[in-house]
Amino acid sequence: MSNEQKKNTAVEVATPSRTRDIVKKYGFEFKKSLGQNFLIDQNILHKIVSAAELDSTKGALEIGPGIGALTQHLAQSAGKVTAVEIDNRLIPILRDTLADEDNVEVIHADVLKLDLQQLFAERFADVSGVSVVANLPYYVTTPILMKLLEDRLPLENIVVMIQKEVADRMAAKPGGKDYGSLSVAVQYYCVPSIVCIVPHTVFIPQPNVDSAVIKLKLRDKPAVETPDEAHFFRVVQSSFAQRRKTLMNNLSSWLGKDQRETLTSLLEQIGIDPGRRGETLSLDEFAKLSNTLHGAGLGLEG
Ligand code: SAM
């Protein structure tokens, strides 16, 4: 069946009544510890899927399909879908709700323990591009996203529903309270944009916080060049170690008080005022700082 035909004949999972029926039929009890909040809003699902720019030549990796609300839409928009679900109680339910979708494979696993490089090689060798699309379990949002980025998977987009507060931090620009090491890490690999803000009322059960859909468009190469990536991230972490401290105080806590004079002259050389706070530095400035400290042999050990 073509994707268009599937769209016309599908029975939507993501409506309040259908979701309640499925939960009742299987006697499913939600586990808060697994971040189980199922989406019941078609409009939000359309926004998520359209942000991922899928077509029948593309692959989609979904993390945490739940009862298949988003999976069903992905199956109708992508050529191939792989959905990784940790909760074995959901596997028979997914078999049922996705019975008509012949381009979906469900894997029962903890995504954090999966060899994703291998999964991509086995599953997505013949597609023209892959995006991760998910309503993520909030208790592990950052570890999952950092794994996807640090594993250097050949991804086009990551479109995910996450806690609004975390989305704001990922997309933050220098100078504000939301900007921190997570903003730098995400923006090093991707260009972030907020797709929409999502009220807590469109989930069963409702979470305590509002959510946002964020799109992370993967860059062809990292935003800045560094001789040593691990050193760059050590500089970033150290600069934000105590947010209220100046850059000089944070760097000298990291590198040793006896380095203050050297640090003052190095910062002067690259035109960064030692009295600034880490939260005002752009990615370019962090790269300059890392390159200069690295050149001076400072902070080379992890
Ligand atoms: N996609 C569904 C939806 O939008 O209605 C469910 C989203 S729910 C917020 C998160 C899902 O992730 C749950 O089904 C949960 O069991 C699953 N999950 C939690 N931790 C996981 C992990 N480490 N690996 C894979 N799936 C996980």
Side-chain angles (χ1 to χ4, degrees):
M1 211 190 290
S2 75
N3 283 353
E4 233 11 78
Q5 284 167 319
K6 279 197 233 163
K7 274 181 202 169
N8 295 334
T9 56
V11 180
E12 298 283 2
V13 171
T15 64
S17 58
R18 178 107 166 98
T19 298
R20 282 198 192 92
D21 285 351
I22 294 169
V23 164
K24 199 167 158 206
K25 176 174 168 195
Y26 287 90
F28 182 77
E29 286 179 15
F30 291 92
K31 272 196 190 157
K32 209 173 174 190
S33 62
L34 290 179
Q36 291 178 337
N37 304 96
F38 296 166
L39 244 178
I40 48 163
D41 188 298
Q42 295 297 318
N43 196 18
I44 305 285
L45 285 169
H46 286 297
K47 284 188 184 167
I48 296 175
V49 174
S50 113
E53 302 174 67
L54 299 166
D55 63 46
S56 58
T57 70
K58 310 263 184 187
L61 171 65
E62 185 187 3
I63 296 161
I67 57 172
L70 174 59
T71 328
Q72 189 180 42
H73 283 254
L74 293 173
Q76 292 160 9
S77 300
K80 263 187 179 181
V81 181
T82 294
V84 180
E85 175 55 60
I86 197 171
D87 187 345
N88 63 342
R89 299 171 307 153
L90 289 167
I91 306 301
I93 305 183
L94 286 164
R95 214 172 286 135
D96 183 1
T97 57
L98 301 173
D100 293 338
E101 317 297 352
D102 49 12
N103 56 348
V104 177
E105 178 190 44
V106 175
I107 298 178
H108 174 217
D110 176 348
V111 73
L112 290 172
K113 296 191 181 143
L114 264 190
D115 181 340
L116 291 176
Q117 291 284 1
Q118 193 186 333
L119 183 143
F120 269 57
E122 285 169 8
R123 180 71 182 152
F124 294 127
D126 55 351
V127 296
S128 69
V130 184
S131 291
V132 169
V133 191
N135 170 15
L136 286 180
Y138 294 172
Y139 76 107
V140 277
T141 299
T142 307
I144 291 176
L145 287 176
M146 291 323 291
K147 177 179 163 80
L148 295 173
L149 298 174
E150 287 168 1
D151 280 6
R152 296 290 165 97
L153 298 165
L155 285 171
E156 291 188 327
N157 295 300
I158 299 175
V159 180
V160 280
M161 170 100 73
I162 58 178
Q163 228 174 297
K164 180 179 175 299
E165 179 230 312
V166 181
D168 287 340
R169 287 200 275 131
M170 289 181 176
K173 296 275 172 253
K177 67 168 180 30
D178 289 334
Y179 184 68
S181 48
L182 182 64
S183 329
V184 176
V186 165
Q187 292 169 35
Y188 179 77
Y189 298 106
C190 319
V191 179
S193 56
I194 307 268
V195 175
C196 58
I197 309 299
V198 181
H200 62 279
T201 48
V202 300
F203 300 91
I204 294 181
Q206 296 185 5
N208 298 326
V209 291
D210 280 341
S211 305
V213 177
I214 190 168
K215 174 174 183 174
L216 307 175
K217 190 155 198 64
L218 273 286
R219 299 177 186 275
D220 294 337
K221 58 182 179 51
V224 290
E225 269 184 44
T226 53
D228 177 348
E229 209 166 76
H231 182 270
F232 171 78
F233 284 114
R234 280 201 291 280
V235 170
V236 173
Q237 288 289 351
S238 311
S239 304
F240 285 111
Q242 295 207 36
R243 291 190 71 98
R244 297 174 61 81
K245 280 193 178 179
T246 62
L247 187 59
M248 170 57 84
N249 285 343
N250 271 327
L251 290 178
S252 58
S253 301
W254 173 41
L255 297 168
K257 299 273 179 265
D258 53 334
Q259 297 294 345
R260 285 183 82 92
E261 246 175 68
T262 313
L263 282 170
T264 307
S265 89
L266 291 174
L267 285 167
E268 207 167 276
Q269 262 176 44
I270 53 172
I272 296 178
D273 180 344
R276 283 171 63 183
R277 289 190 180 154
E279 68 198 34
T280 67
L281 266 68
S282 66
L283 264 74
D284 276 333
E285 288 178 312
F286 276 120
K288 257 198 224 168
L289 180 57
S290 163
N291 294 358
T292 305
L293 296 179
H294 194 269
L298 294 174
L300 299 186
E301 295 301 314

